Amino acid sequence: MSQTPGTLLAALRVEPPLVQCITNYVAMNIAANVLLAAGASPAMVSDAEEAGEFARIAGALTVNIGTLSAPFVEGMHAAIDGAKQAGRPWVFDPVACQATTLRRRVSAELVARGPTIIRGNASEILSLAGESSQGQGVDGRDDVAVSEEAARRLARESGAVVAVTGPEDYVTDGTRSAHIGGGSPWMPLNTALGCALT
């Protein structure tokens, strides 16, 4: 028997999960508030000295490359190590992964680490799958529908569930897929809401 989103949300609120977020400076506060509103307990722990240890006690990990720096990348790898050791899921948000050489390199490294879920806009997913995109910076300029085959291929190659978000989301594990309505035209007009969605 499948559960409805309402029953899943109610279950989450009975035992609020601790979610470790390595995210960009712009998104930290918004992501924390979205997690709190959903019923989870956010923790913005990114320093390599504690990120791996913390990931072993957290229920899940999110990794967002919005504001890349060498210390952030080191913390990301430490946290992923900890999450994998503890069997915890982790979500990768490849913010503007197509924009620079550094972002392309770090994104490839992180995809190779086996995320549970990859969540990005169509331009980011196209880029991760090795295709050209219209994206500039964080702006997703490609339609979700254009990225569906790339998302399926990326899911099969990475082993991750791939979520392409936009006006209508597309989610696939490489074999099965679903379209999910409910996107808002206000989201692209507000800073960090895509990051909070991750």
Side-chain angles (χ1 to χ4, degrees):
M1 180 175 167
S2 65
Q3 295 179 309
T4 66
T7 59
L8 292 172
L9 187 58
L12 177 136
R13 290 177 173 165
V14 170
E15 289 189 50
L18 177 62
V19 180
Q20 180 178 359
C21 301
I22 299 179
T23 192
N24 66 76
Y25 299 121
V26 175
M28 284 185 193
N29 187 57
I30 294 167
N33 284 330
V34 167
L35 281 166
L36 286 169
S41 179
M44 295 359 205
V45 179
S46 61
D47 191 273
E49 190 170 338
E50 65 173 344
E53 180 182 359
F54 197 90
R56 289 191 293 275
I57 63 169
L61 167 68
T62 66
V63 174
N64 171 306
I65 65 165
T67 48
L68 271 182
S69 67
F72 255 55
V73 173
E74 186 181 356
M76 290 171 186
H77 283 290
I80 292 165
D81 288 342
K84 289 175 85 79
Q85 289 166 9
R88 303 290 192 257
W90 71 280
V91 182
F92 175 43
D93 186 344
V95 177
C97 62
Q98 72 282 357
T100 67
T101 301
L102 174 63
R103 287 175 182 278
R104 288 188 293 273
R105 178 180 57 78
V106 170
S107 293
E109 290 172 1
L110 296 178
V111 169
R113 302 291 313 269
T116 310
I117 298 170
I118 299 171
R119 200 269 342 143
N121 64 42
S123 298
E124 292 160 346
I125 298 305
L126 284 164
S127 179
L128 279 184
E131 297 187 16
S132 62
S133 76
Q134 303 298 314
Q136 293 182 327
V138 299
D139 299 330
R141 296 187 175 188
D142 295 281
D143 290 329
V144 171
V146 172
S147 69
E148 290 182 10
E149 178 52 40
R152 286 189 295 273
R153 190 173 67 256
L154 179 61
R156 288 190 299 268
E157 292 172 357
S158 68
V161 169
V162 176
V164 188
T165 53
E168 181 179 76
D169 301 341
Y170 176 75
V171 181
T172 182
D173 64 3
T175 303
R176 298 170 297 167
S177 62
H179 291 91
I180 303 168
S184 168
W186 293 104
M187 285 188 70
L189 304 177
N190 290 275
T191 301
L193 290 186
C195 299
L197 182 58
T198 298

